[in-house]
Amino acid sequence: MNKLEKLLEQPFDKYMEACWNHVREKALIDPITAIVYAVMLSNPAAMESAWARRYWFHKNGAYNNE
């Protein structure tokens, strides 16, 4: 199970918190991510909606290959 799969198994609020923590940690060590992070902070709802959509699709089986 990869890091994203582990995150997706958490409750929604923990998943969203982990997403922000991951980006914040990456921004501290990567200058390109730091720029993207600054843009994300100017409109956090846009990024959170993408994360929420990914979570919803996962929970509803949209990514199953069965």
Side-chain angles (χ1 to χ4, degrees):
M1 184 177 292
N2 66 35
K3 185 174 183 174
L4 176 59
E5 290 168 339
K6 289 178 185 175
L7 289 176
L8 289 166
E9 293 306 318
Q10 296 183 26
F12 182 72
D13 60 330
K14 296 290 185 188
Y15 163 76
M16 293 298 279
E17 180 182 352
C19 288
W20 277 114
N21 288 338
H22 176 74
V23 174
R24 190 176 307 111
E25 289 169 7
K26 291 286 187 185
L28 293 173
I29 59 174
D30 178 31
I32 300 298
T33 305
I35 293 167
V36 173
Y37 181 64
V39 172
M40 289 170 59
L41 291 177
S42 70
N43 186 9
M47 195 69 237
E48 288 183 349
S49 68
W51 291 335
R53 187 171 41 249
R54 177 65 174 92
Y55 186 86
W56 186 88
F57 279 122
H58 172 77
K59 292 297 182 182
N60 289 287
Y63 293 113
N64 291 343
N65 293 325
E66 298 174 355

